[in-house]
């Protein structure tokens, strides 16, 4: 059990929690975007892009504080890796939304919703877990569940790929859909990276 | 010359050697898969996937021990990088096998065998080198040869790309073959990453 | 303000400056290649490949020295990250040139020149900034400007993608052009990575 941290250190936890909170907003916007029509999609992608900017600012705050703080609550490299991985989750979700709009893809395969549902669940779990880094409570549940989700995402992703190549005969549409599906898979991988970094931190503290 | 290490430390060498041994199994299965018919391919891909799970467990054991051991034989980050790079080699080989089955590609270009031969040779060299980390004997031969192999793989890869674009007129088949060829190239890069990490470790120890 | 460094340490600055200087040569060759005919392109790609080998040697010198030097002017990992990021800039520029030749793409979209102009400006700024690491003078101007350039490159890249999918009906040509455009975008990202690493170093020193 860790002792109470000095006030100056606590801000890392707040900043990480704020960063993860943006992921919940981002994945919710992405899920809405899937079901929306083209003009609404454009608007939602813009909102997601603004959320990404806020997340970017949060990441920069963490990095700046990290570089200027002598004593950090955890290993400096682990906080750095955690902030970077959180940032990657957002970047991939924003990229997926952006590609859907840019490529003017009207209909997405049904299974893409399953990919995004995994991202929504993973972002909620991540946002709930970040504040628990302070006390180190109940973290294994979090990383085990995110790893399970990523395995599920991986299976959905492989099924989707096979379906795309079986069902889509237009090679240009195939290229577009494949890229969107790959970027969503990279988002799921990024959430797993966050969970693995939390596991690393927890193992060092135990 | 290093002194004999304490028993507790030796396990890192054993774990790394075990991890590299899975790569030999994996690359052998991948080579068999190339020459097999579709049902046998499916079976071999499944075996490769099981080997990948074993390799994954080996990586997790290394990481766990790394996070809980105070004194490690080498720089902690270098062991981490080495275990990650070994893991990447396996992941790419498994992904290539999986894509060949998933995309139902019956005929692969002849040069793909050359790519896989490089992976087989690189995995053998890697498996032979890992136990030598203990004594630091004859490591330069290993990393020089793997770097040479990666250069060779790079040339094969570029020739293959040019051939694919010249010879394959069906854009969907082209997409499938290109992705398989790229993933095999990433596997060769991952073996080079392993060798470069070993070089880094050796330079620090010298 | 830092004190003058001991002679032994200064070589890191010289090596980093030399490495960045190769990027100026590389991006100039890449810009020339865009406007050249096919045989001249082949020749310029070869020159770029030779420049990449020189850059590679510079990176290896930095790494070797890093692993054998006990006291380094900055955090060891930061120098490592900086050298790796400089190396990546060159690798992506060389890869782009190589793909243009390999894929026998005669006409490139006009906006590709805009991508390469960003790389030229970024490489000049980087080459000017590296020697200033010694005194830590005027570095913020550098990283702010490179970040601005990368944002500009990102916008050009997204416009290019949309244009490619709107204008190029041949899926095979589309695949070729898309890959070239993506690799140039990765080069721009790599320059931003260099700038971010310099920012990290400067923040730690301040």
């Amino acid at each position: 059990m860790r002792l109470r941290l000095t006030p100056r250190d606590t801000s890392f936890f707040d900043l990480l929690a704020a960063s993860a909170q943006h992921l919940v907003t981002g994945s919710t916007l992405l899920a809405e975007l899937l079901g929306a029509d083209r003009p609404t999609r454009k608007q939602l992608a813009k909102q997601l892009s603004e959320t990404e900017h806020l997340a970017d600012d949060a990441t920069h705050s963490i990095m700046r504080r990290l570089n200027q703080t002598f004593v950090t609550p955890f290993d400096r490299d682990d906080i750095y890796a955690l902030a970077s991985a959180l940032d990657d989750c957002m970047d991939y979700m924003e990229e997926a939304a952006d590609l859907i709009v840019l490529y003017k893809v009207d209909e997405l395969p049904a299974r893409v919703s399953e990919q995004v549902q995994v991202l929504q669940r993973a972002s909620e779990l991540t946002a709930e877990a970040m504040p628990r880094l302070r006390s180190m409570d109940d973290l294994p549940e979090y990383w085990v569940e995110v790893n399970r989700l990523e395995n599920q995402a991986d299976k959905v992703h492989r099924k989707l790929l096979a379906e795309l190549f079986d069902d889509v005969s237009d090679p240009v549409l195939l290229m577009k859909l494949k890229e969107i599906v790959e970027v969503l898979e990279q988002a799921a991988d990024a959430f797993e990276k966050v969970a693995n970094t939390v596991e690393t931190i927890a193992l060092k503290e135990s």
Side-chain angles (χ1 to χ4, degrees), chain A:
Chain A
M1 180 58 66
R2 294 177 58 80
L3 296 179
R4 213 154 53 81
L5 293 153
T6 59
R8 131 195 241 213
D9 288 334
T10 55
S11 54
F12 277 111
F13 300 105
D14 298 336
L15 289 167
L16 289 168
S19 183
Q21 204 54 53
H22 292 308
L23 295 177
V24 177
T25 311
S27 62
T28 308
L29 287 167
L30 185 56
E32 282 179 46
L33 186 146
L34 290 188
D37 57 15
R38 211 190 272 183
T40 316
R41 275 187 180 171
K42 212 168 172 174
Q43 214 180 300
L44 289 165
K46 206 169 155 264
Q47 275 177 262
L48 216 167
S49 171
E50 286 158 9
T51 308
E52 191 267 333
H53 286 310
L54 295 177
D56 223 31
D57 291 344
T59 309
H60 273 99
S61 300
I62 297 171
M63 299 304 189
R64 232 187 332 267
R65 193 169 297 242
L66 198 55
N67 288 325
Q68 294 179 322
T69 305
F70 194 69
V71 182
T72 56
F74 310 127
D75 187 297
R76 184 176 297 275
D77 288 343
D78 291 332
I79 304 178
Y80 184 92
L82 192 50
S84 297
L86 288 167
D87 199 51
D88 286 346
C89 296
M90 184 57 98
D91 283 352
Y92 288 122
M93 292 200 295
E94 196 257 332
E95 191 183 344
D98 196 63
L99 289 173
I100 292 170
V101 171
L102 194 74
Y103 288 165
K104 302 175 196 114
V105 175
D106 286 320
E107 254 185 276
L108 289 156
R111 245 184 247 285
V112 169
S113 309
E114 293 179 37
Q115 285 190 297
V116 174
Q117 276 160 24
V118 165
L119 299 180
Q120 280 195 279
R121 189 72 196 114
S123 58
E124 285 160 12
L125 289 166
T126 306
E128 285 161 23
M130 287 302 116
R132 300 208 301 271
L133 278 170
R134 201 187 294 262
S135 60
M136 288 283 152
D137 285 344
D138 308 321
L139 289 171
E141 286 97 304
Y142 151 69
W143 73 64
V144 168
E145 179 61 10
V146 169
N147 271 281
R148 198 193 59 76
L149 281 170
E150 202 279 328
N151 282 336
Q152 188 187 321
D154 203 47
K155 278 188 193 117
V156 171
H157 168 243
R158 294 192 180 200
K159 269 188 212 156
L160 248 168
L161 272 189
E163 284 173 6
L164 286 182
F165 277 96
D166 281 342
D167 302 344
V168 182
S169 55
D170 171 10
V172 174
L173 180 59
L174 184 59
M175 281 174 70
K176 292 176 175 179
L177 292 174
K178 185 165 184 289
E179 189 176 359
I180 293 164
V181 160
E182 299 291 5
V183 171
L184 291 171
E185 170 64 10
Q186 287 177 298
D189 286 345
F191 276 103
E192 191 191 24
K193 180 81 194 294
V194 171
N196 290 347
T197 310
V198 169
E199 184 178 2
T200 296
I201 290 173
L203 283 169
K204 286 188 190 170
E205 296 288 314
S206 68

